C-alpha cells in the first residue's frame, strides 16, 4: 500500500528471499559477475525510477544542517522553540531561525 520498490545488486549468488522481495515490489534483483559489472549495475540504480502512477507527484524533502551560533552577552537572542534567551543557538540553513538544541525541527519553516 505504500508503493515501496526494492532493488538489490548482490555480490553473492541469487538469494531466494531477496529476489522474491524484488519481484513482489516491482524492483530488480541483479548479481554482479565482476567489479566492472558491479559498477555498471550500481550506476543503473543511481537515477530515480519512473513513477508508475499519474496521481503521484514527486516531492522534495527540505533538509539542511544547522550551524552553531554562540551568542554574545551584548546581543541576547531567544530560541524560536521555547522563546527563552540562550547562550548557544543553532541557525536553520533555510530561514535562519534560531533553535536551542539538536536534533531540531524548525518551528518557522
Amino acid at each position: 500500500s505504500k508503493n515501496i520498490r526494492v532493488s538489490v545488486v548482490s555480490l553473492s549468488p541469487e538469494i531466494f528471499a531477496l529476489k522474491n522481495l524484488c519481484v513482489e515490489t516491482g524492483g530488480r534483483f541483479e548479481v554482479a559477475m565482476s567489479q566492472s559489472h558491479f559498477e555498471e549495475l550500481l550506476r543503473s540504480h543511481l537515477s530515480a525510477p519512473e513513477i508508475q502512477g499519474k496521481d503521484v507527484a514527486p516531492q522534495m524533502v527540505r533538509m539542511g544542517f544547522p550551524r552553531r551560533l554562540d551568542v554574545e552577552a551584548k546581543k541576547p537572542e531567544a530560541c524560536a522553540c521555547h522563546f527563552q534567551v540562550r547562550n548557544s543557538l543553532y541557525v536553520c540553513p533555510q530561514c535562519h531561525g534560531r533553535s536551542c538544541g539538536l536534533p531540531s525541527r524548525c518551528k518557522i519553516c
Side-chain angles (χ1 to χ4, degrees), residues 43-96:
R43 268 188 245 107
S44 72
H45 287 276
L46 292 179
S47 60
E50 292 184 24
I51 298 173
Q52 298 296 323
K54 293 181 181 179
D55 298 336
V56 180
Q59 295 179 343
M60 297 295 287
V61 176
R62 295 180 63 170
M63 64 177 288
F65 299 97
R67 64 180 169 82
R68 186 175 177 174
L69 174 70
D70 291 320
V71 180
E72 297 176 18
K74 295 179 183 178
K75 294 182 186 179
E77 292 189 43
C79 65
C81 42
H82 301 103
F83 302 111
Q84 296 178 351
V85 176
R86 305 284 183 170
N87 293 334
S88 180
L89 297 170
Y90 294 91
V91 180
C92 173
Q94 314 244 334
C95 69
H96 304 289

Side-chain angles (χ1 to χ4, degrees), residues 6-57:
V6 177
S7 293
V8 174
V9 176
S10 179
L11 299 175
S12 60
E14 187 174 295
I15 300 169
F16 176 78
L18 289 178
K19 183 171 183 179
N20 192 32
L21 178 65
C22 293
V23 169
E24 286 184 17
T25 61
R28 297 180 351 216
F29 182 87
E30 298 165 314
V31 177
M33 300 302 200
S34 64
Q35 182 177 350
S36 61
H37 187 230
F38 171 74
E39 291 170 0
E40 179 184 329
L41 293 174
L42 194 58
R43 268 188 245 107
S44 72
H45 287 276
L46 292 179
S47 60
E50 292 184 24
I51 298 173
Q52 298 296 323
K54 293 181 181 179
D55 298 336
V56 180

